[in-house]
Amino acid sequence: MLMRKSFLLVVLVLFISIVSCSSSKHSKSKKLPGIWQVVPITIDGSNKDWPSPYPEYDDKAQLGYAVSNDKDNLYITVETGDPATQLKILRNGLTVWIDKTGENNELTAINYPIPGDPNEENDGKLKPAKGQGQGSGQDKQRMELEDKVRAAIPDAKEFSLQGFKACNMQFPLLEKDSCGIMVRMALDADNELVWEAVVPFKSFYPKHEVDKRDKGKPMSICFETVASKRPAGQSGGNHGGGGGGGMRPSMGMGMGGGMGMRMGGGGNRGGGQTTNNIMEPLYKSTKTWKKFGIAIFP
């Protein structure tokens, strides 16, 4: 009887040890790298505070993006140099989902800009820009798209929040909400549309600030765009990726800026594309999920 009890005790100890080791390994596997933001980002619609080029890029969505944090805030940015994608964002809005669990839950989000009038003019047949002289049909379409983008930026005056602790409503861009969330968007000198946000941890995380216990905890961000309605009678393009995607270097500098050419999104790839193809990104909805870990000061 004693031997049986001893045997059962040994089996129990081994079982607990195996479960503990398994749990420990599983816990360690959840730790993900993050980027500590040494100097707070100025939210002004400029990419000067971010690495060049952006460290992440979704070729299908034609979006470059970056995420970092300090102890108080989460910093998020996305940019695109593709004029059809820019117009899609300005017309139909950009939704940035934040999931503090590291899954792909769509509960907490910043919506900016607020979608405009769905009855906007038909962009299916863009006319050549005036005074441009001779040039390819694609070049003329690109120039008119760029004109439409510049004209639409001043209308991006409001944003809305959902799923946060105490600030879920629509706000004028220049009015500070009760959560301290700030968003801005602008077109830079290279015709890159830059979107930025600062999100205080106190607005969505269990704690007001993160510490060493939070290091590596997974978090997810999603950039979602909504397609414009394709004009009647126009078939979908079948020529590969959308126009004007731009060449992107395979390596970039670390967070906080650095040297190097910024080529993500708005370069010269696509010289052999058809005139129609430059419009394709406007008619495609996209979702770009990125999982990362919370960073802590080294």
Side-chain angles (χ1 to χ4, degrees):
M1 187 70 177
L2 182 61
M3 290 181 63
R4 184 179 179 185
K5 286 184 177 180
S6 298
F7 175 77
L8 290 175
L9 181 60
V10 170
V11 170
L12 181 61
V13 170
L14 286 173
F15 175 77
I16 292 174
S17 177
I18 291 171
V19 169
S20 176
C21 289
S22 175
S23 175
S24 176
K25 289 180 180 178
H26 183 65
S27 175
K28 288 181 180 179
S29 69
K30 285 187 175 181
K31 301 293 183 181
L32 297 174
I35 298 175
W36 177 261
Q37 189 62 48
V38 178
V39 179
I41 297 288
T42 300
I43 306 302
D44 55 4
S46 169
N47 51 28
K48 67 181 184 298
D49 295 331
W50 297 95
S52 177
Y54 278 14
E56 306 286 346
Y57 185 70
D58 184 338
D59 187 60
K60 291 183 179 179
Q62 308 228 30
L63 298 175
Y65 55 96
V67 180
S68 63
N69 72 272
D70 54 26
K71 67 181 180 64
D72 299 303
N73 303 303
L74 184 66
Y75 300 96
I76 306 168
T77 185
V78 59
E79 71 174 4
T80 178
D82 177 70
T85 302
Q86 293 173 351
L87 188 60
K88 176 175 60 176
I89 289 172
L90 289 163
R91 289 265 180 90
N92 309 327
L94 176 71
T95 298
V96 177
W97 298 97
I98 304 171
D99 184 357
K100 63 177 180 272
T101 70
E103 303 298 330
N104 293 357
N105 297 318
E106 298 179 358
L107 300 174
T108 304
I110 301 171
N111 305 290
Y112 173 64
I114 301 297
D117 185 353
N119 297 316
E120 285 281 1
E121 63 182 291
N122 188 334
D123 291 312
K125 297 180 180 179
L126 292 175
K127 298 177 181 180
K130 294 181 179 180
Q132 297 298 331
Q134 298 298 318
S136 70
Q138 186 185 28
D139 289 340
K140 292 175 181 177
Q141 274 197 323
R142 174 180 289 276
M143 286 186 286
E144 189 164 343
L145 274 172
E146 290 173 350
D147 287 342
K148 289 177 179 292
V149 167
R150 283 189 285 269
I153 285 179
D155 294 329
K157 298 177 180 178
E158 295 182 309
F159 68 99
S160 67
L161 305 173
Q162 64 186 80
F164 289 92
K165 290 181 179 179
C167 50
N168 300 305
M169 57 185 295
Q170 192 163 317
F171 298 91
L173 189 62
L174 299 180
E175 179 181 312
K176 194 169 183 178
D177 63 84
S178 57
C179 288
I181 296 170
M182 288 182 60
V183 292
R184 292 292 186 275
M185 181 170 55
L187 200 64
D188 71 6
D190 298 319
N191 284 326
E192 295 273 353
L193 185 68
V194 180
W195 188 105
E196 289 186 300
V198 57
V199 186
F201 281 109
K202 66 180 181 180
S203 67
F204 72 98
Y205 201 64
K207 301 187 293 185
H208 279 209
E209 60 182 52
V210 295
D211 55 41
K212 61 182 180 180
R213 292 168 294 181
D214 301 291
K215 184 177 181 179
K217 284 187 177 180
M219 192 171 290
S220 298
I221 298 290
C222 176
F223 304 100
E224 181 178 6
T225 69
V226 178
S228 291
K229 184 178 180 181
R230 189 182 295 276
Q234 186 182 107
S235 60
N238 190 25
H239 310 283
M247 291 162 43
R248 180 178 172 80
S250 59
M251 295 181 65
M253 302 292 289
M255 186 61 63
M259 298 180 66
M261 294 179 65
R262 181 176 297 277
M263 298 173 68
N268 298 315
R269 186 180 68 189
Q273 293 169 334
T274 65
T275 302
N276 226 16
N277 197 34
I278 197 172
M279 298 297 297
E280 280 307 300
L282 185 62
Y283 309 126
K284 293 180 180 178
S285 296
T286 65
K287 281 188 179 182
T288 302
W289 279 100
K290 170 65 178 179
K291 185 177 289 189
F292 61 97
I294 293 175
I296 298 300
F297 183 74

